Amino acid sequence: MSGDDRWWREGVCYQIYPRSFADADGDGVGDLRGIIDRLDHLAWLGVRGVWLNPVTPSPNADWGYDVADYCDVDPTLGSLADLDALVAAAAGRGIRVLLDLVPNHTSDAHPWFRAARSSRDDPHRDFYVWADPAPDGGPPNNWVSTFGGPAWTFDEATGQWYLHNFLDRQPDLNWWNPAVADAFDEILRFWFDRGVAGFRIDVAHMIVKDRHLRDNPPVLAGDPFPLQVRGQRPVFNERLPEVHDVHRRWRRLADTYTPPRVLVGETFCEDVRDVVPFYGRGDELHLAFNIPFALCPFEPGALRAVIDETEARLPPGCVPVWTASNHDLSRFPTRWCDGDEATTRVALMLLLTLRGCVFLYYGDEIGLCDTDVPRERLLDPVGVRFHPYAGRDPQRTPMPWHDGPGAGFTRAGVEPWLPFGSLERNVAVQRHDPDSILSLTRDLIGLRDALGDLRTGLHRSLEAPPGVLAYRRGEDVLVALNLGDEPATLPGPWHGSVRIGTRRSRDEERVAGPLALEPAEGVVVVLDRPA
Ligand code: GLC
C-alpha cells in the first residue's frame, strides 16, 4: 500500500491493550518492549497501523485513563526511549503508531489538579470545573457519572464541588479555559514531533460541558438502555456544539505535519446519525468509531440497517471505521458468536469486507473470547463497583501466544496481572494451520490488499433470504454471509469464483447459478466480467 493516507483510509489497524499484549521484562504486565518483540506478528498479518491504549504515567484508578503526565511513559510499560524505539521498529514494517489522548479529564494525581485543589486562587484552579454547592448544600446540578453516582465530588479544603464524568479520581478539565486548549496543543505537538502518527481520542464527543451547568432532562420512554440506567439525557454534558471547535483546532494542528497526523474519535453514540457530525466537512476527525455497529445485534437486518445508514450519511470523501471489539466492549466472538467458531469466521469476514478502515482488537484474529475473571481478581473499577456485572476485565486478559507456561505472554511461573483465559485458541497453534481463524484473518486482509473493490469499491446491500447478509463491493465483488442456522441460497444467477470461504474447502469453487450457503458460512466471490 502506498500513499500517505491509504493506511487509514483503506487498511486494517489493530488495537493493542499494552498491559496484556506481551511482557518482555517478566513482571506479569505487558510492556512496550514486548510489543516491539511481537511486531512481526502484526506485519505478517498485514496490519497497517496500531492504536495503543494509554501508555502515559497513571495511578491506574481507571487503568491508564487517569493520566498523571501527558508527556511521558508509565514506568511499568517502559520509557520514552522504548516508545521511540517502538515507533521506529513499527515504521520499519510499514506500521504506524497511534496513541490514546485523554482530554476530558486527568488523574487527581496530575500536578494540574494537585495545584488546582490547593487553593481557589491557584492559577490552575480554572483548568477544572468547580462550582459552589446547590442551595441545599448538595451537588451543583443533577449530572450523573458514566460510572454511576453523582458526577460531582465535594472538596472540603476549598468548599466547592469538582466535576467528574467518570471516577472521582478523574476530574474533568475545563475546555472553556483557553489555557487548557493551549496546553493540549503542546501535548499533541510533543507526540507528533516524536513521529507518532496520530491519536485515538478518548470520549471525543464529551469534552466540552454546558457553561451554565444546567440540569439534564429526564429520560423518555424509548430512550436507549444506557440512558435509562442513568435516568437522564446527557443534553448538557455531552455532544455540545463547541466540541467541534476543539476538533477543528486539532485537525488544523495535525494538518501542519507531513504526513498529516490522524485523529480517530471515540465517539460513543448510540445512533449513526450522531456519529456523522464528528467528521465535520472533512475538517474535523478523520475517523469516528462507529459504536452503533459494534453494539448492533449479530442479525442481518440490524447489521444491514447500520451499514446502509453509515454509507448513506457519511459525507463524500469521509471514511467509515468498523470495529467489533475493544477494551470497553465484550469481545465479539463471545458477544456476537457465543464462542462458536463458524460464526466467528463469518463475523471476521463481515468486518474485513466493509469499505473503509477496520480496527481489530488484539486477539480478534484468533477468535479470542472473553475470560471469566473471578471476583477476587477484578481490577476494572466498573466491575468492582457493579459486581456481579463483570465489568471490562473479561476482554482485557493476556494474549495467548501459545498454550505452554506463561502462554508466550510472560515468563513461565509468573502470574499475569489479569488471569489467562482459555489457551485453546492461541497464535502458535493457528499460525501454521491453513484452516485456522488466524489464517482466515490474514488471508482476508491479504485479499483486501489485493482487490481494489474490497478496499474502496462502493457498498451496495442486496436483497437476501432470511438469515443472510449480502452485498456487492465495487463492480466485481459479492459477499454473502449466512448468519443463520439453516442452509440458505442467494438466488442468482451468479457467475464467478469463490476467492475465500469461511469453510476453506470452498476456496476457488466456481459459482454458476444460485449461491448456496451452509449455516454460519460466508464467501467472498469475484464475479466474472461480462464478455
Ligand atoms: C473511554 C475509555 C474507557 C475509559 C473512559 C474514561 O470510554 O475507552 O476505557 O474508562 O473513557 O476515560
Side-chain angles (χ1 to χ4, degrees), residues 375-386:
R375 184 172 192 172
E376 62 278 10
R377 294 287 304 265
L378 291 181
L379 293 175
D380 171 25
V382 178
V384 169
R385 177 167 188 162
F386 292 106

Side-chain angles (χ1 to χ4, degrees), residues 12-15 348 351-352 358-362 364 441 445:
V12 175
C13 296
Y14 187 99
Q15 178 190 351
L348 279 164
L351 203 55
L352 293 165
V358 177
F359 270 82
L360 297 176
Y361 184 48
Y362 80 99
D364 279 357
T441 305
I445 295 174

Side-chain angles (χ1 to χ4, degrees), residues 62 65 105 147 166 200 202-203 266 327-328 392 396:
D62 189 21
Y65 286 98
H105 46 264
F147 289 166
F166 294 90
R200 175 267 189 188
D202 193 52
V203 290
E266 187 213 10
H327 65 291
D328 293 325
R392 301 170 295 179
R396 298 177 177 180

Side-chain angles (χ1 to χ4, degrees), residues 78-233:
S79 63
L80 271 178
D82 293 334
L83 199 275
D84 292 341
L86 168 57
V87 170
R93 292 163 176 84
I95 298 174
R96 280 73 168 182
V97 177
L98 299 165
L99 295 184
D100 211 313
L101 183 73
V102 188
N104 182 69
H105 46 264
T106 68
S107 161
D108 62 349
H110 194 289
W112 295 340
F113 191 69
R114 290 208 162 136
R117 76 188 320 180
S118 70
S119 141
R120 288 202 191 193
D121 302 324
D122 187 88
H124 281 97
R125 181 76 173 181
D126 202 27
F127 264 48
Y128 296 86
V129 184
W130 296 92
D132 290 331
D136 67 355
N141 69 18
N142 73 347
W143 297 354
V144 290
S145 155
T146 309
F147 289 166
W152 297 93
T153 289
F154 188 63
D155 182 57
E156 294 285 347
T158 58
Q160 284 190 307
W161 298 75
Y162 67 86
L163 178 68
H164 52 87
N165 272 290
F166 294 90
L167 300 176
D168 57 354
R169 298 193 55 195
Q170 295 170 295
D172 277 29
L173 285 160
N174 172 18
W175 275 91
W176 293 103
N177 179 355
V180 169
D182 290 344
F184 269 84
D185 286 355
E186 290 310 308
I187 293 163
L188 265 68
R189 286 200 191 94
F190 177 84
W191 293 109
F192 291 165
D193 289 346
R194 297 191 98 86
V196 164
F199 286 110
R200 175 267 189 188
I201 300 163
D202 193 52
V203 290
H205 58 300
M206 213 172 167
I207 56 183
V208 184
K209 325 285 156 22
D210 181 45
R211 209 169 194 161
H212 309 292
L213 304 177
R214 279 168 285 185
D215 277 351
N216 279 328
V219 278
L220 300 177
D223 278 345
F225 178 71
L227 298 194
Q228 299 291 347
V229 174
R230 288 200 235 170
Q232 59 184 230
R233 299 184 134 193

